Amino acid sequence: MTIHLPWQWSHRRKKMKQKAKATRWKISDELWNKIEPLLPVPVNTHPRGGGKKRVAYRTVMNGILFVLKTGCQWKALDATGICSGSTAHARFQEWVAAGVFHQFWQKGLLEYDDLHGLDWKWQSMDGAMTKAPLGGKKNRQKPDRPGQNRGETFCAV
């Protein structure tokens, strides 16, 4: 039986919250079975074949999808307990270069086409090019300059 002292309770509660947050963002088995075949086989670049063991692909993908879904910074991923932000970002860059997310997007479109149908003949693109609303006029007055000339330094006495 483990006895937790009062000063350990807040730390324990914090870990439990992190674990609860991390499990909320896990990829379902059905989705993972579709993603896993698209991932490249890891190549060991260590000169003698050793090196640190890589973090599991599914764990890293949970972290990547968390960042993409929430819009948080990569380093903020460290606080979630899912995986390291630097690991997730490095693997994200590796998988983007390998075309994993493009293939996943294509498979998703084709699956949606099978389920609901897409009208591939009719497509539209939306965009707008306008002047910035607060950009000012083309030949507007120059902004006020500070009271010193070029090369002078300001000295408060």
Side-chain angles (χ1 to χ4, degrees):
M1 182 173 154
T2 306
I3 299 173
H4 293 283
L5 302 172
W7 58 83
Q8 295 173 325
W9 292 342
S10 62
H11 179 69
R12 188 164 181 244
R13 238 181 275 127
K14 186 177 178 182
K15 276 194 165 195
M16 288 171 60
K17 281 183 182 181
Q18 283 180 349
K19 195 178 254 189
K21 283 181 189 176
T23 56
R24 188 173 32 191
W25 296 98
K26 285 192 176 176
I27 299 171
S28 67
D29 291 335
E30 181 184 354
L31 181 60
W32 179 245
N33 291 334
K34 293 175 184 176
I35 294 174
E36 191 175 27
L38 304 175
L39 300 175
V41 178
V43 178
N44 189 348
T45 57
H46 194 274
R48 294 191 179 118
K52 191 175 177 182
K53 188 176 177 185
R54 290 171 68 100
V55 179
Y57 274 4
R58 187 169 184 167
T59 304
V60 175
M61 187 59 83
N62 283 331
I64 290 171
L65 293 180
F66 177 83
V67 169
L68 295 176
K69 196 172 205 178
T70 62
C72 75
Q73 296 176 353
W74 289 104
K75 276 299 184 186
L77 193 57
D78 295 342
T80 64
I82 298 172
C83 73
S84 164
S86 56
T87 300
H89 184 256
R91 204 71 56 84
F92 176 73
Q93 295 293 330
E94 183 183 315
W95 290 344
V96 165
V100 170
F101 295 102
H102 188 261
Q103 290 175 23
F104 185 57
W105 175 72
Q106 285 179 329
K107 282 189 171 231
L109 273 179
L110 293 174
E111 187 172 324
Y112 185 85
D113 188 26
D114 290 343
L115 293 173
H116 301 287
L118 287 174
D119 188 1
W120 292 100
K121 293 177 186 167
W122 185 91
Q123 294 182 16
S124 113
M125 183 179 246
D126 187 14
M129 301 243 343
T130 62
K131 186 177 161 191
L134 302 175
K137 296 180 181 170
K138 189 173 184 178
N139 292 324
R140 68 180 194 268
Q141 208 175 14
K142 301 290 183 210
D144 292 334
R145 299 225 175 237
Q148 62 195 39
N149 293 326
R150 188 175 291 234
E152 290 180 358
T153 56
F154 179 73
C155 182
V157 180

